[in-house]
């Protein structure tokens, strides 16, 4: 009858439209198509007109629901594309899908650099590139406040995955702050190089944020002015997309502020090719500007800056 042809035409148009929305439509329309076939095959000559119309309404409702569900799958695919691409980020400082925005950082825990900020303070950078911050080291029972400063020609990064870090988004060159575990009374000269590497290359460390580094080698290690330890380290990161190794070199300067038992480190790094073209000189300049000294003593209680948008936590 005419009504039958109209309903069949409507279903056919709906199916054709959804099929044009790529193969996802097929997945969701399968149940609807199956239901329609079942209705047609099981219908007897005595099926009433109202029952037939009800069955068709069910089929169209299923098709419509399938169409509405498709954006969820498309959004899920887009979320997968938001994952960070190691090779591109290390080279340029920018994710393949854009800068390290909220979508790129979703699901990523902040690397464990050992940096703990004092409550009521912020990381600052002047127009000349001078960076300053106040951090806490030591233990909960005996916290110590330390003022750190350095000068870098790169922009200070902000966001949930950063502590104190500056990066050149065009080249991927950068510098960041890190704090080691307790030195247990040992001097910088007495500490093995692996002591400093643990914080940086630990599975939760800054250089492990995009995957476990390989070929880690300490190329140089020496004391500077009796108060600082400087190390040059080479390593490689694996690209997520190609599994190709990306060589990188880092210059680390570490010091143990007077009256504390933790080494505070500044790490400047660049990919190996740029290191040979002048990035090593820039990194040395940054390292030479580094300072970490005890904060002036006051009567104010030392509290940890809560970074979960809640109240301050007693250290």
């Amino acid at each position: 009858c005419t009504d039958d042809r109209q309903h069949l035409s409507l279903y056919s148009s709906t199916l054709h439209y959804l099929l044009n929305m790529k193969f996802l439509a097929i997945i969701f329309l399968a149940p609807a198509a199956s239901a329609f076939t079942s209705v047609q095959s099981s219908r007897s000559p005595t099926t009433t007109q109202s029952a037939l119309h009800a069955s068709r309404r069910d089929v169209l409702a299923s098709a419509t629901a399938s169409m509405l569900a498709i954006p969820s799958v498309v959004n899920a695919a887009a979320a997968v594309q938001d994952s960070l691409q190691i090779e591109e980020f290390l080279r340029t400082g920018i994710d393949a899908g854009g800068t390290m925005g909220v979508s790129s950082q979703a699901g990523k825990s902040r690397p464990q650099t050992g940096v703990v900020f004092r409550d009521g303070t912020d990381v600052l950078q002047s127009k000349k590139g001078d960076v300053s911050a106040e951090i806490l080291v030591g233990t909960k029972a005996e916290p110590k406040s330390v003022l750190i400063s350095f000068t870098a020609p790169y922009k200070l990064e902000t966001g949930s995955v950063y502590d104190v870090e500056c990066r050149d988004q065009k080249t991927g060159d950068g510098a960041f702050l890190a704090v080691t575990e307790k030195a247990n009374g040992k001097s910088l000269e007495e500490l093995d190089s692996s002591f400093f590497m643990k914080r940086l290359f630990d599975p939760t460390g800054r250089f492990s944020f995009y995957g476990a580094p390989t070929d880690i080698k300490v190329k140089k290690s020496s004391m500077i002015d009796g108060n600082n330890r400087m190390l040059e380290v080479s390593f490689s990161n694996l690209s997520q997309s190609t599994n190709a190794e990306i060589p990188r070199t880092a210059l680390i300067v570490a010091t143990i502020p007077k009256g504390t038992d933790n080494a505070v480190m500044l790490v400047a790094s660049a990919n190996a090719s740029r290191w040979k073209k002048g990035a090593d000189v820039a990194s040395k300049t940054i390292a030479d500007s580094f300072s970490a000294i005890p904060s002036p003593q006051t009567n104010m209680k030392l509290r940890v800056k809560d970074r979960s948008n809640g109240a301050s936590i007693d250290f």
Side-chain angles (χ1 to χ4, degrees):
C1 65
T2 301
D3 287 343
D4 288 351
R5 289 194 295 271
Q6 290 176 343
H7 284 296
L8 287 172
S9 177
L10 177 59
Y11 176 77
S12 177
S13 298
T14 303
L15 178 60
H16 180 71
Y17 173 77
L18 292 175
L19 286 176
N20 284 336
M21 294 181 70
K22 299 182 180 181
F23 71 95
L24 293 175
I26 299 175
I27 299 174
F28 285 98
L29 279 177
S34 176
F36 185 80
T37 303
S38 176
V39 170
Q40 290 291 71
S41 61
S42 63
R43 186 176 62 177
S44 65
T46 60
T47 302
T48 63
Q49 191 72 15
S50 60
L52 182 58
H53 287 176
S55 297
R56 286 171 181 150
R57 284 196 298 272
D58 291 341
V59 171
L60 291 174
S62 177
T64 302
S66 300
M67 180 170 60
L68 293 175
I70 289 177
S72 297
V73 177
V74 174
N75 289 339
V80 172
Q81 293 176 351
D82 268 339
S83 61
L84 290 173
Q85 298 298 315
I86 297 173
E87 183 174 21
E88 183 68 8
F89 185 82
L90 286 177
R91 185 179 68 82
T92 66
I94 301 176
D95 185 14
T99 56
M100 286 187 67
V102 175
S103 60
S104 293
Q105 298 176 23
K108 293 283 187 180
S109 298
R110 184 168 61 247
Q112 299 301 307
T113 62
V115 173
V116 176
F117 294 117
R118 181 176 181 176
D119 187 40
T121 66
D122 289 303
V123 184
L124 303 175
Q125 184 180 40
S126 70
K127 292 182 179 180
K128 295 182 179 180
D130 299 327
V131 179
S132 61
E134 186 171 3
I135 64 173
L136 297 177
V137 299
T139 65
K140 290 183 178 180
E142 297 182 12
K144 303 289 184 180
S145 181
V146 174
L147 293 175
I148 68 96
S149 64
F150 63 92
T151 302
Y154 320 129
K155 175 181 172 292
L156 178 67
E157 295 289 355
T158 59
S160 61
V161 300
Y162 296 108
D163 289 319
V164 181
E165 181 165 347
C166 298
R167 291 189 67 85
D168 184 329
Q169 294 191 353
K170 293 182 179 180
T171 64
D173 299 357
F176 67 91
L177 190 72
V179 180
T180 69
E181 298 177 347
K182 292 179 60 177
N184 294 319
K186 291 184 178 181
S187 67
L188 285 169
E189 194 171 9
E190 294 173 326
L191 292 168
D192 190 80
S193 297
S194 61
F195 176 79
F196 306 98
M197 300 301 100
K198 181 179 180 182
R199 173 61 74 188
L200 305 178
F201 297 101
D202 187 83
T204 59
R206 177 63 182 85
F207 284 135
S208 300
F209 186 52
Y210 308 104
T214 60
D215 298 329
I216 303 170
K217 297 177 181 178
V218 178
K219 302 172 68 175
K220 298 178 182 178
S221 177
S222 60
M223 290 296 299
I224 307 295
D225 299 329
N227 297 317
N228 296 326
R229 174 90 170 264
M230 192 166 288
L231 304 95
E232 183 177 324
V233 183
S234 63
F235 60 97
S236 296
N237 279 95
L238 294 178
S239 166
Q240 282 183 330
S241 57
T242 65
N243 285 330
E245 291 191 342
I246 307 167
R248 198 170 183 84
T249 304
L251 189 64
I252 305 163
V253 57
T255 187
I256 299 179
K258 185 177 180 180
T260 71
D261 194 35
N262 300 81
V264 182
M265 303 182 290
L266 183 66
V267 185
S269 68
N271 65 48
S273 61
R274 283 192 49 77
W275 192 263
K276 297 176 182 178
K277 297 177 181 179
D280 58 335
V281 177
S283 295
K284 181 64 165 55
T285 301
I286 295 172
D288 288 342
S289 72
F290 178 60
S291 172
I293 60 175
S295 303
Q297 293 186 355
T298 68
N299 293 327
M300 296 180 64
K301 192 170 185 178
L302 297 180
R303 296 177 182 272
V304 173
K305 184 173 184 177
D306 181 20
R307 304 183 68 187
S308 59
N309 297 321
S312 296
I313 303 173
D314 237 340
F315 191 88

